Each structure stands twice: as C-alpha cells, then as structure tokens.
Amino acid sequence: MRLRYGAEEEAFRAELVAWLDANVHGFENLRDNKRSSAYLTDEARAWQQMLFDNGWLVPGWPPELGGRNATPPEQMIYFEEISKRDLSRSLNPQGLGIVAPSIRDYGTPEQIERFLVPTLRAEIAWCIGMSEPTAGSDLASLRTRAEVFDDHFVINGQKVWTSGAHHADWCICYVRTDPEAPKHRGISAVIVDMQTPGIEPRPFPELSEATYLDFNEVFFTDVVVPRENLLGELNKGWALTQGSLAHERAMLWIDYAYLVERILENLVDLADRPGPGGKALRDDPDYRDAIARTYVDSQAIMLMGYRGFAKFMRGKAAPEHSLLKLVGSEVMQNALLAGSDALRAEGLDQDLMGPHLWRRGAWAAQWMRSFSGTIPGGTSEIQRNIIAERVLGLPR
Ligand SMILES: Cc1cc2nc3c(=O)[nH]c(=O)nc-3n(C[C@H](O)[C@H](O)[C@H](O)COP(=O)(O)OP(=O)(O)OC[C@H]3O[C@@H](n4cnc5c(N)ncnc54)[C@H](O)[C@@H]3O)c2cc1C
C-alpha cells in the first residue's frame, strides 16, 4: 500500500526524479564498508555539495541551507525516492542528520556561521561523544568531566562507541559541568576540535567485519576547549540529547520500510533453492511463514508510518514514531536472520542479491550488522519501556 499524493506533490517528485536521473550517475555506490562514518571521500564531498547547491540536501530547509522550503508531504516524497534508490546523502550521517540540526537549533550566530554550512557542504566531518563505559542507555549518568573556567573548559574522561572519531574534524561532546546538580541537570554539550592536544581516539573493529573500523574509545586528558564552543546553555545539555535523537528518528521509518521490502524480494528469490532435507525452501512451512510474516510486517511499518505522518500534519503528537524505530529495526533483523538460516553455511558468503542493496555483503554479515539498528538511539528494550510508559501509560 502506498500513499497517494496530489498533483503539486507529484510535480515535486517528477522534478526530483528528473534531477536524480540526470545527476546521480557515478554517485550511486558511495557507501564503503571499509571507511568510517566520518571519512569523506572526494566523491562524497562532491555529491553532498551538489545536493546542497541544488536544494536537494535537506529539502525542508531554506535554500541557503541546502533546501527549498519543501512542505512535509514533499519531504516524505524526497525520502521515499532517496530510500528507493538506496542513496546516501552523506558519508557522515551523524554530521548531516544530528549535528547540523542541533547547531541550527541551539547554536549561537557565530557557531551557525562557522559550522553549519561547512557541515552541510561536507567540508568538515563530525563524531558524537555521548556513550561512556558506564553510561549508555542511562546516558544521564555520564562522568566525563569539564571544569568550567571564565574563558575555557578543561575536559577529562572517556567516551566509547564514538563512530568515526579517528577521522572526524569535530565532536559534539557531552560532559558533566555541574557534578553537584541532579544528574540530568549538570550536563553540557561542547564542540571539540578533534586535533586538540590530549584527545586520543582508539578505533576498534566491529563484530561483523574485523577490518571495518568505525567505533572508537576516545580518551580526554586535560583537553582545553574555548568557552565559546559551548553549544546551548551551560548545564542544559540534556535538552540537546533529546533533540539530537529526535532528529535521528524523524523519518527513519521510510528507510526501514524500503529496506524490509528489498530484503523480502531477496527472500522470495531464494525460495526455489533447496532447503533442509533437499526440498525447495518454498515447500518449507517455516520459510513460508517467515516470508508471510515479513510481508505483513513491512505493510504494518508503512501504514504505521503514514498514520504517524497524518497526525504530525494535523499538529498532533505521534507516538507511532517510537514504535517505528523498534518495529523497523527488529523486522529487518528477523528477515535477515530468516535468509541466513535458510542458506545455512552458504549464508556466510552468499550476498544479498538485487539492485541497490543497503551495504552490500553476505546474509550472515548483514544480519550481524542489523544489530546497529536495534542498539543506538535507544535499544529495543529502552524503546519498549518508552512505549509502555509514555504511549500505553502503564505503571513503571
Ligand atoms: C552502530 C552503533 C553506533 C553508535 N554510535 C555512537 C556514537 O557515535 N556516539 C555515541 O556516543 N554512542 C554511539 N553508540 C552507542 C549507543 O548509543 C549505545 O550502545 C546505546 O546507547 C546502548 O548503551 P550500552 O551499549 O552502554 O548498553 P547498556 O546501556 O549497558 O545496555 C546493555 C543491555 O541492557 C539493556 N538495558 C539497559 N537499561 C535498561 C532498562 N532500563 N530497561 C531494560 N533494559 C535495559 C539494554 O537494552 C541492553 O540490552 C553506537 C552504537 C552502535 C551499535
């Protein structure tokens, strides 16, 4: 099922499709599993700048910020077309998707001038220092300390899971600036130059691919940061953490909806292969169930997404968005597991087939990677807590 749009919106789609058809050539496969999420290749910079210059980078924003003041339905069309083609807008997704909106919303005029357009034009790359060894889901218990002086901060502590820190130019680092205050109230966000003396990023590999280095531990020892790099108000950094994650979640479901559909097509393509006992997989009731379940779930994601969108358009709160992150990431994971199970040992080196696949690679590796959807931005368990308490109103 697909939402139908009006003539004006379809004209917007036609313009976008024509632009993509004319310009995307050579930029379709920017994603590179060997490079970190803050490593911007020349092609990636050129593509992001081209999107920016033509108002197709963040269509809902004004032209001077890489957009064209697109309406919400037009923005949805935009994300549909980008997801359908499996295009990356940026090779530094945390810079474009989280840092840029945070700076736009909380930055001083000087910070906006200094960082916003260079981030949007892929001139600089970012990492985000939130998680610590003892502060992940419970982010508010972070311990990295920033002592506050008249014109600077001095940071000491450790972050972990910091994607792309070894390649990033800048970091939005969440630090404790008031150790006496209740834990949510003593946190600030500071913009840190990753070249500052005292910062040591130590990259470490992912479970799914030993040669892929994106995660880092980052150690801060007496790191001096100018006071003007405070983002938002002192001790009010918690508001930014909530804003950052909301930006991340806003239209994520469209991507999940299209990814699940693509995995579903792949599951159907495997159905003629022999399964356990030599019979074709299509005759295996478990495999047929997995296909049917994935199909039903993919439709549910789409419908739930549309419902949330309709509420958003009427200015109402849309709890569907908490559900969509949970359901989208878990449905994708289950569908990848069904394919890996069906292929058994072959799943270790048989690639998912079909055009424009998200992060190419074998079924089993894709399944392992899919955990990257169910952990960051609030694990599945945390999402369930939020849904239970804030959506269903259940007691703690
Ligand atoms: C691909 C990826 C990229 C990431 N990038 C970054 C980054 O760039 N910057 C950054 O700062 N962090 C990043 N992270 C870290 C991510 O934000 C944390 O992994 C996440 O917040 C979970 O924290 P944790 O790993 O410390 O697990 P914990 O919080 O220690 O959780 C461990 C387990 O306990 C469960 N649990 C915890 N609390 C509760 C509760 N109250 N109720 C029920 N269950 C609970 C969790 O669901 C989980 O299963 C990234 C993670 C991944 C996977």
Side-chain angles (χ1 to χ4, degrees):
M1 189 239 159
R2 291 281 186 278
L3 200 66
R4 263 190 307 205
Y5 297 92
E8 269 179 41
E9 280 107 18
E10 287 304 335
F12 174 92
R13 186 194 303 276
E15 188 185 347
L16 169 62
V17 167
W19 188 85
L20 287 173
D21 287 348
N23 292 286
V24 79
H25 186 63
F27 297 112
E28 297 98 332
N29 296 317
L30 287 178
R31 240 179 239 122
D32 181 343
N33 292 345
K34 303 281 176 255
R35 300 225 164 92
S36 91
S37 58
Y39 188 98
L40 290 167
T41 58
D42 289 346
E43 290 84 359
R45 288 182 203 272
W47 169 239
Q48 198 171 321
Q49 284 171 15
M50 211 158 81
L51 288 167
F52 179 95
D53 291 341
N54 289 277
W56 290 122
L57 183 67
V58 198
W61 288 10
E64 65 276 16
L65 295 179
R68 49 181 61 219
N69 294 317
T71 62
E74 288 171 346
Q75 291 172 53
M76 199 150 97
I77 287 174
Y78 171 79
F79 283 107
E80 280 176 10
E81 293 300 326
I82 295 284
S83 298
K84 257 191 232 167
R85 289 171 169 73
D86 195 29
L87 293 173
S88 309
R89 290 184 299 153
S90 172
L91 283 199
N92 181 219
Q94 60 270 33
L96 177 60
I98 301 176
V99 174
S102 302
I103 291 181
R104 189 195 62 166
D105 294 349
Y106 292 95
T108 60
E110 293 74 27
Q111 288 169 343
I112 291 176
E113 162 107 29
R114 185 169 173 204
F115 296 113
L116 187 52
V117 170
T119 302
L120 294 168
R121 290 180 55 79
E123 288 158 13
I124 52 177
W126 292 81
C127 62
I128 297 180
M130 288 180 151
S131 309
E132 299 182 5
T134 54
S137 301
D138 183 15
L139 180 64
S141 55
L142 65 86
R143 292 200 293 210
T144 295
R145 175 90 168 87
E147 281 180 84
V148 186
F149 296 92
D150 284 347
D151 63 350
H152 67 279
F153 300 97
V154 177
I155 303 179
N156 280 285
Q158 184 201 339
K159 297 289 172 183
V160 71
W161 309 114
T162 324
S163 304
H166 56 311
H167 289 139
D169 303 299
W170 294 91
C171 176
I172 292 193
C173 189
Y174 288 86
V175 289
R176 186 155 302 283
T177 36
D178 183 353
E180 307 304 324
K183 64 182 186 176
H184 289 81
R185 302 220 187 108
I187 295 171
S188 301
V190 281
I191 298 173
V192 180
D193 180 344
M194 290 300 284
Q195 296 306 316
T196 315
I199 302 180
E200 190 193 347
R202 291 189 200 157
F204 61 94
E206 276 193 12
L207 176 70
S208 62
E209 204 167 340
T211 53
Y212 178 54
L213 295 179
D214 191 27
F215 287 140
N216 283 259
E217 295 177 294
V218 186
F219 296 86
F220 295 82
T221 310
D222 295 331
V223 175
V224 177
V225 177
R227 180 80 186 233
E228 72 214 30
N229 285 17
L230 174 69
L231 182 61
E233 288 180 54
L234 189 69
N235 298 324
K236 302 241 171 98
W238 189 250
L240 269 88
T241 67
Q242 301 305 294
S244 304
L245 298 179
H247 292 306
E248 195 178 23
R249 284 181 199 143
M251 294 219 181
L252 207 62
W253 68 271
I254 300 178
D255 225 22
Y256 278 127
Y258 282 94
L259 279 170
V260 170
E261 281 198 351
R262 242 172 273 145
I263 298 167
L264 180 64
E265 283 163 21
N266 277 259
L267 287 174
V268 172
D269 285 349
L270 292 182
D272 284 330
R273 297 171 61 100
K279 278 199 295 187
L281 280 167
R282 66 169 66 249
D283 296 324
D284 174 354
D286 290 340
Y287 193 72
R288 289 155 64 124
D289 276 358
I291 290 188
R293 206 171 38 244
T294 308
Y295 174 75
V296 171
D297 287 345
S298 76
Q299 296 299 303
I301 294 170
M302 204 62 101
L303 292 173
M304 212 191 304
Y306 288 150
R307 194 168 68 166
F309 180 71
K311 285 190 186 167
F312 166 77
M313 288 289 287
R314 278 184 262 123
K316 291 188 176 170
E320 282 78 4
H321 289 132
S322 325
L323 291 161
L324 283 161
K325 196 252 173 195
L326 173 70
V327 177
S329 56
E330 292 199 346
V331 167
M332 187 172 89
Q333 197 165 87
N334 292 336
L336 287 166
L337 182 59
S340 308
D341 273 353
L343 285 163
R344 290 163 293 158
E346 272 183 73
L348 294 172
D349 59 14
Q350 154 113 22
D351 279 7
L352 276 101
M353 307 296 284
H356 307 306
L357 266 166
W358 171 73
R359 285 182 154 211
R360 283 137 199 88
W363 279 87
Q366 297 278 5
W367 172 67
M368 280 197 275
R369 259 190 216 136
S370 70
F371 285 83
S372 69
T374 53
I375 300 172
T379 63
S380 288
E381 289 77 14
I382 295 296
Q383 298 300 327
R384 286 191 166 85
N385 284 348
I386 293 173
I387 293 161
E389 289 164 21
R390 296 192 212 155
V391 180
L392 301 175
L394 297 176
R396 258 172 175 263

